[in-house]
Amino acid sequence: MDENTKLLRALLMQDWDTYNEMVADFERQGKGTPVAIIGAAFHLAVLKRFGDKRDVGDVIRFVAEARTFLSEGRDLPAKEAEAVIFATLDLDLPGVEDVVDRLEVGEIAEIEGQLLFKLVTDERYTDQELDEFLLKAQALTEQWQGQ
Amino acid sequence: MTGGMQDVVRQLCTSIEQFDQAAVIASQAQAAADAAAARYSDVLKGTSDPLANGARSEAEIAAAKAGKTAKLFAQAATALTKYVNHIAPGTLPNRAAPGSSPSGEQLPEVGTRRPPLSRRFLGRTVSVKNSDDGLQHLKKLGDAFKDAGSGGTAQPRPTEPVIRSVPQDSTAGSTLLAALTIALVGVKGAEVLVKLRKKSQPQKDASEENRKPHG
């Protein structure tokens, strides 16, 4: 598991000691948000959750639940959150492509990360299952980056 | 994949689309030229006029060359597709054998053959390992997760048993009730009950006020 994946793992497990150490380490190295592993994990998690039915209503309900789950004043924009899921599912509904095209990669990572947290929480993974899931996501990033 | 590489891949995909379009147009030109030569032959059947026969030959040659051009365009598109998938694996679907010409019917619409939205979207985020943001976005995620409703994924992390909203009544009975509530329904459940109590409190206060003797 590489450092980016370990950092995401610490975040998803709310292992704040490890998270804080790794954030400090990343800052020393000048490394930014690990957008690739977040994107890959999000992609796999969405396909797992919604890939069979690809139902628009399910996606909308999920985003509403995620906003409640996360929000103690946090902003998770509903339209953008739905759009990133629709795009991942190839539900090319009107406006979806425009919405996702307007988002910067960092903004996408922020939205995906919050949704990923809810998706992973709902799965109730064991530690081992979470590791397996994250390693699959890491492998997907390596395919794209040509390693 | 770096931003520069993404740009290269995007431009190569555009070139492939254009080669495909050219292949279709050349195929259509071949079909039209074939049809023209056939009609020409029908009309001028039996003629020995050298000019007429020369024109028919030219039409047949043009059709053959258009067909060859279509194949060459298709081969170029296939070769480029292989290259794109070599530098950015999985970007485009694999093609049929080189030399197979896409017909107008095979291409749904000239100029719209692109990777699916999911692949283009995924490519944007997974092509770059880390963004250049000083961890700004990651820290926002950390803050969001700290306030989240659940305790975590695999094993719930123990939360501090601080009851923020239980009223600090001085009576021993209220303190005991608070402790029992927490024991039964947990911290979150206790907070929910307090909120419900607070909602009903103004109504209770109002009704008690009405019962007080006035005057």
Side-chain angles (χ1 to χ4, degrees), chain B residues 2-42:
Chain B
T2 62
M5 179 66 86
Q6 274 183 308
D7 203 45
V8 166
V9 167
R10 212 172 289 125
Q11 293 197 43
L12 288 173
C13 287
T14 304
S15 296
I16 291 167
E17 276 178 34
Q18 289 171 332
F19 277 127
D20 280 339
Q21 288 175 34
V24 167
I25 292 167
S27 292
Q28 288 168 343
Q30 179 192 15
D34 275 338
R39 185 184 300 275
Y40 204 74
S41 290
D42 276 345

Side-chain angles (χ1 to χ4, degrees), chain B residues 114-184:
Chain B
R114 299 165 79 193
L117 175 59
S118 60
R119 188 154 286 284
R120 285 182 275 122
F121 179 63
L122 179 63
R124 281 185 69 199
T125 53
V126 301
S127 305
V128 176
K129 275 189 183 178
N130 298 75
S131 64
D132 189 17
D133 67 339
L135 290 173
Q136 166 201 348
H137 295 290
L138 181 83
K139 286 176 181 174
K140 283 189 188 173
L141 286 176
D143 290 344
F145 293 7
K146 280 173 187 163
D147 289 342
S150 167
T153 56
Q155 293 157 14
R157 301 289 161 187
T159 53
E160 293 177 24
V162 173
I163 314 305
R164 291 190 298 272
S165 13
V166 170
Q168 300 297 314
D169 289 347
S170 57
T171 61
S174 296
T175 308
L176 179 60
L177 180 61
L180 283 171
T181 306
I182 294 157
L184 283 169

Side-chain angles (χ1 to χ4, degrees), chain B residues 86-122:
Chain B
H86 173 68
I87 60 174
T91 299
L92 295 171
N94 289 326
R95 290 202 159 212
S100 62
S101 311
S103 68
E105 290 78 33
Q106 285 169 341
L107 289 176
E109 214 179 295
V110 168
T112 62
R113 188 170 176 165
R114 299 165 79 193
L117 175 59
S118 60
R119 188 154 286 284
R120 285 182 275 122
F121 179 63
L122 179 63

Side-chain angles (χ1 to χ4, degrees), chain B residues 33-113:
Chain B
D34 275 338
R39 185 184 300 275
Y40 204 74
S41 290
D42 276 345
V43 166
L44 298 173
K45 201 181 285 187
T47 185
S48 57
D49 187 312
L51 277 177
N53 287 331
R56 183 178 59 209
S57 295
E58 289 297 326
E60 285 167 354
I61 291 167
K65 286 194 173 173
K68 190 170 180 187
T69 304
K71 274 194 185 148
L72 288 171
F73 281 132
Q75 281 172 358
T78 300
L80 265 181
T81 300
K82 267 191 181 166
Y83 178 65
V84 166
N85 283 334
H86 173 68
I87 60 174
T91 299
L92 295 171
N94 289 326
R95 290 202 159 212
S100 62
S101 311
S103 68
E105 290 78 33
Q106 285 169 341
L107 289 176
E109 214 179 295
V110 168
T112 62
R113 188 170 176 165

